[in-house]
Amino acid sequence: MAGRKQFDVDEALRRAMHVFWRWGYSEASIDRLTEGTGLGRGSLYNTFGDKSALFRKSLQRYTQTYHPLFDQALSGPHPSPSAVVAAFLQVTLNRIADPTVPDGCLVTVSATQFPALDAEGQAMVRAVMDGLRAMLEQALLAAGASEQEAAELALCTLATNKSLAVLSRAGFSGEDLATVAAAAARIPGTPHPLP
């Protein structure tokens, strides 16, 4: 039938997300996007718009895929703030260990290329990180942290999350990454929460 798409749009978006995740916005050329999605330029543009629009849709797909895992891990109840940090970082370690996806994190690689993004893309990346930070703060408060402690731990845990993504892209081992996560979750006065 004329005008009907002959490909799986959701699968094409998943593949585009992987291109941006692997290469970052700057290096995710249209050639790499067409090769990665299996679509011609016309189909790519007609379905998703320009590169910036495709990036924003890819980032939205990424957050819809992975952020519910953080939400679930933080839903608790958690016996301590340390357990909250450990649960959050375990989600990160699990994603990094998945051999079916690129190393690192799409949000992190996008943040490192912030100047290359348009204003809407920049706002989305920042909103995603702010959302994770707020999610962490609420879980830390629920686990007994004071407001100041929750704010500080949320920011430090978010920073550790992003650092793990960078280290994984640089080839650090899963054992090294687990060591970083365990150290981050080791809050004075609480037991060591990660194995």
Side-chain angles (χ1 to χ4, degrees):
M1 183 180 289
R4 187 171 182 177
K5 291 185 177 23
Q6 300 298 313
F7 58 88
D8 183 333
V9 174
D10 189 61
E11 176 61 13
L13 181 57
R14 185 190 69 80
R15 291 180 179 196
M17 175 186 75
H18 281 207
V19 173
F20 285 116
W21 188 345
R22 179 178 178 198
W23 294 101
Y25 183 84
S26 297
E27 297 299 317
S29 65
I30 295 300
D31 287 343
R32 282 182 172 144
L33 287 163
T34 57
E35 181 182 348
T37 60
L39 302 180
R41 285 174 181 254
S43 294
L44 196 70
Y45 286 123
N46 290 337
T47 304
F48 299 110
D50 64 12
K51 178 180 166 181
S52 294
L54 178 54
F55 166 75
R56 292 191 300 272
K57 288 173 184 166
S58 296
L59 183 60
Q60 182 178 38
R61 168 69 185 268
Y62 183 87
T63 58
Q64 289 169 344
T65 302
Y66 292 102
H67 287 209
L69 302 176
F70 287 115
D71 193 38
Q72 182 180 6
L74 294 180
S75 64
H78 294 289
S80 67
S82 181
V84 171
V85 174
F88 183 87
L89 294 177
Q90 189 60 56
V91 173
T92 304
L93 293 174
N94 291 346
R95 187 199 62 239
I96 288 170
D98 183 351
T100 66
V101 299
D103 288 331
C105 163
L106 177 58
V107 178
T108 305
V109 74
S110 301
T112 65
Q113 298 184 356
F114 211 67
L117 305 177
D118 65 11
E120 195 173 347
Q122 290 178 347
M124 278 187 74
V125 169
R126 183 56 194 260
V128 169
M129 291 193 288
D130 287 343
L132 287 173
R133 183 179 180 181
M135 192 188 300
L136 274 161
E137 276 194 51
Q138 289 306 309
L140 288 161
L141 288 168
S146 69
E147 286 190 19
Q148 181 178 348
E149 183 182 31
E152 291 172 355
L153 283 175
L155 182 57
C156 289
T157 304
L158 179 65
T160 303
N161 167 272
K162 299 303 156 204
S163 297
L164 289 169
V166 171
L167 292 174
S168 76
R169 286 178 73 90
F172 281 73
S173 70
E175 184 178 330
D176 285 340
L177 301 180
T179 297
V180 171
R186 196 178 302 121
I187 299 167
T190 61
H192 188 304
L194 289 174

